[in-house]
Amino acid sequence: MADWDLLLTNARIATMRGSGVPYGAIDNGAIAIKDGRIAWLGANDALPAGTAEAQRSLDARWVTPALIDCHTHLVYGGDRAAEFEQRLGGAGYEDIARAGGGILATVRATRAATEESLLASATARAAALLRDGVATLEVKSGYGLELDSELKTLRVARAIGATTGQDIRTTLLAAHTVPPEYRDDADGYVDLVCKSVLPAAAEQGLVDAVDAYCERIAFSSKQVEKIFDCARRQRIPVKLHADQLSDGGGAALAARFGALSADHLEYTSPAGVDALAAAGTVAVLLPGAYVTLQETRPPPVELLRDRGVLMAVATDCNPGTSPLLSVREAMALACRVFGITPEEALAGATRNAAAALGLADDRGTLAVGKRADLAVWQIDHPRDLSYWLGSQPLADLFIAGQAATLR
Ligand code: NIG
Ligand code: FE
């Protein structure tokens, strides 16, 4: 006889297993949890005999894998609301960046901020994502751009989970832009990242992945390659901000290094898409940045779909291009502006987001053995998660089998 910690019955389950059944749905199902993992899942009437310490009927509510936000820049000082107004008045993102604003404005504020204040503001943002159903989120550094401030950012990111209960994956994005100290020596800064920042951050156990911004206002392919080579030598997986504002061959570069993901991709060429497909690199779609920057060229979604590239959807939460604190809103936007389906959007925020973080074997679908990260929703159908804008349908969230505190 099975013995479980928690048994959820009378649930409508969107397993998101990609089994051919839409949403991998099970109509009248049950989920048994033991030691933070899914121990049994299937139709209610096939439930084997067992005892559970706790049992709850979900009264026919929908359960999905908890959401995963696989691309955020959640830890930063200040904000860029004034820049947002300036841009709506006609100023360009790249022009502002070249004039020392943009990312560098946030770098100044982040360097000046105390660890405590960064933790307080970042935790509040993560809590908003939690209330939206997010159990796992990735947080990038990249507003420090010097050893101590990058380490500070990553420490803060890791500390968020102690309050919210979320699992935080940290990505070193020291190559976000060239800091003022290296204004005329981007190569010198790349050397610093390779020789000092990356080894120190990795040594302190703060790096799950390494990211870079490959763009004409940031780093060239050659410079990114150098950083990726260093990451590879330390066996740290890589991801890339690729082809966001121009086609810099970013997707192909990410693919060459077997990157977990290539993110943005508005200007990615068909050859870039083929490279992603061959490498099994996940395409992360970031509609919040696209909409905020009032971009007009969407990523090549049809081609990505056609070539079988896995598509994830994330908030890209950051103060400059994507002040967005809802993965569901990102899903809803991705359907509207990129033309993905609600089922692709949900897969993009669960199964494929897990793959973008190298966690596909552990979470992102509902199956026996997976982490019991479950979101319970007050909805009629999982497509509602992308249909509504501004609704708050989350009823419950379980992280590794534990009910999260949502208020
Ligand atoms: O993902 N593309 C580069 N990085 C961020 C923007 C950062 C910023 O403007 O502060 C992004 O959109
Ligand atoms: Fe980003």
Side-chain angles (χ1 to χ4, degrees), residues 71 73 140 241 264 286 316 318:
H71 181 143
H73 309 246
K140 300 175 196 295
H241 282 71
H264 288 290
L286 304 169
D316 193 14
N318 77 72

Side-chain angles (χ1 to χ4, degrees), residues 71 73 80 83 93 102-103 106 143 173 176 213 241 244 264 286 289 293 316 318-322:
H71 181 143
H73 309 246
R80 307 236 295 279
E83 187 186 293
Y93 180 69
I103 294 173
T106 302
Y143 293 122
L173 175 58
H176 198 188
Y213 187 21
H241 282 71
Q244 181 188 13
H264 288 290
L286 304 169
L293 291 177
D316 193 14
N318 77 72
T321 65
S322 192

